[in-house]
């Protein structure tokens, strides 16, 4: 009698998990298609750096910022020193700390281990979907959030690996594959709210890159532009808030 009950419980558990995965896939399949379209060129560039397909999958499955992977590969192919690459990628990836901190309070009833698992595997798209579900009060919890993260990470890893395999067989120009990342950032730029801070950040970042290139400081051009752009935007917003407070008085 005990074994049939255990089998029944196991069957119910598997059925529940399958239903949860199916629900998540129905929600996130457009993002999965986007990952395929962007991950394949990323894998091609990674193959250009000399990485084997298994290396590409291992890196893509643990390094969950796609823009960071594009940056690593492009800067490596450009001959940028490793220290500058690390600083640049760390600067653009620091936003994930904010993502994790903002989603953790919404994981009600989750243990510390579950919260850590969700926070450590977040991608930008998974963060947006999970946060919206949690805020709206839908039937969504830490299990769904972690499963969503895992599905997207596997999709990205497989897509990059496919691109690496194709790149090893077909000679795809690095400039063409690398432009996918550039076009992605252009789309993200135009999708942002047109504000004074965003405009100042973009202009100051571009100016700082031009100055660094002119002075021959190629190694620090990218991290310097990130720091200058963020600092300029924060200063602009702080100035605007202070001016508004004085006008209100």
């Amino acid at each position: 009698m005990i074994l049939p009950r255990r089998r029944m419980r196991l069957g119910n558990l598997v059925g529940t998990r399958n239903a949860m995965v199916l629900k998540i896939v129905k929600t996130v399949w457009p993002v999965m298609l986007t990952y395929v379209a962007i991950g394949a060129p990323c894998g091609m560039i990674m193959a250009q750096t000399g990485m084997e397909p298994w290396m590409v999958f291992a890196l893509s499955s643990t390094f969950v910022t796609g823009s960071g992977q594009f940056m690593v590969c492009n800067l490596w192919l450009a001959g940028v020193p490793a220290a500058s690459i690390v600083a640049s990628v760390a600067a653009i990836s620091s936003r994930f700390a904010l993502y994790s901190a903002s989603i953790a309070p919404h994981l009600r009833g989750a243990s510390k281990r579950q919260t850590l698992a969700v926070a450590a595997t977040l991608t930008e798209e998974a963060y947006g979907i999970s946060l919206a579900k949690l805020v709206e009060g839908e039937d969504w919890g830490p299990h769904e959030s972690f499963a969503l993260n895992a599905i997207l990470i596997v999709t990205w890893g497989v897509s990059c690996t496919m691109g690496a395999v194709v790149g090893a067989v077909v000679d795809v120009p690095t400039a063409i594959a690398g432009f996918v990342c550039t076009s992605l950032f252009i789309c993200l730029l135009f999708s942002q709210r047109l504000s004074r801070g965003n405009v100042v950040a973009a202009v100051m970042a571009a100016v700082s890159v031009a100055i660094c290139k002119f002075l021959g400081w190629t190694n620090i051009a990218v991290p310097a532009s990130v720091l200058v752009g963020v600092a300029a935007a924060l200063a602009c917003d702080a100035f605007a808030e202070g001016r508004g407070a004085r006008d209100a008085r």
Side-chain angles (χ1 to χ4, degrees):
M1 294 295 294
I2 297 178
L3 288 178
R5 289 180 180 177
R6 289 183 177 178
R7 290 177 181 176
M8 184 178 299
R9 291 177 181 176
L10 181 60
N12 292 336
L13 179 62
V14 172
T16 302
R17 290 184 176 178
N18 290 339
M20 179 184 68
V21 171
L22 182 60
K23 179 182 71 173
I24 294 173
V25 170
K26 288 181 178 179
T27 302
V28 80
W29 68 265
V31 178
M32 296 172 67
L33 293 180
T34 304
Y35 273 26
V36 174
I38 300 177
C42 183
M44 294 178 186
I45 299 177
M46 297 173 75
Q48 293 285 338
T49 63
M51 297 183 66
E52 299 292 336
W54 70 268
M55 297 178 182
V56 173
F57 181 78
L59 178 61
S60 302
S61 301
T62 54
F63 196 79
V64 292
T65 165
S67 57
Q69 285 183 223
F70 272 104
M71 179 173 287
V72 168
C73 297
N74 286 320
L75 294 180
W76 182 266
L77 291 173
V80 176
S84 181
I85 296 176
V86 171
S88 302
V89 175
I92 68 169
S93 301
S94 59
R95 65 191 185 278
F96 283 93
L98 300 177
Y99 294 160
S100 301
S102 64
I103 199 173
H106 297 282
L107 296 172
R108 301 180 182 88
S111 64
K112 292 184 178 180
R113 183 178 299 178
Q114 291 174 331
T115 303
L116 178 61
V118 173
T121 55
L122 277 176
T123 65
E124 286 182 312
E125 293 77 15
Y127 166 76
I129 294 173
S130 291
L131 185 62
K133 297 285 187 182
L134 292 168
V135 171
E136 292 171 2
E138 295 189 19
D139 185 17
W140 196 271
H143 295 290
E144 287 79 6
S145 297
F146 180 75
L148 171 64
N149 296 349
I151 290 172
L152 290 182
I153 289 174
V154 171
T155 303
W156 176 257
V158 171
S159 302
C160 291
T161 305
M162 291 171 52
V165 172
V166 173
V169 177
V170 181
D171 186 16
V172 179
T174 306
I176 295 178
F179 184 73
V180 174
C181 184
T182 304
S183 61
L184 173 62
F185 280 110
I186 292 174
C187 291
L188 291 175
L189 176 63
F190 281 98
S191 65
Q192 296 296 311
R193 180 174 60 89
L194 186 61
S195 65
R196 183 179 302 174
N198 289 341
V199 173
V200 170
V203 172
M204 293 303 297
V207 170
S208 64
V209 169
I211 293 175
C212 289
K213 294 287 186 179
F214 178 76
L215 296 176
W217 300 343
T218 306
N219 296 341
I220 64 170
V222 175
S225 66
V226 173
L227 295 177
V228 170
V230 172
L234 292 175
C236 180
D237 291 341
F239 176 78
E241 290 179 2
R243 186 176 180 179
R246 289 194 299 270
D247 293 342
R249 293 175 185 175

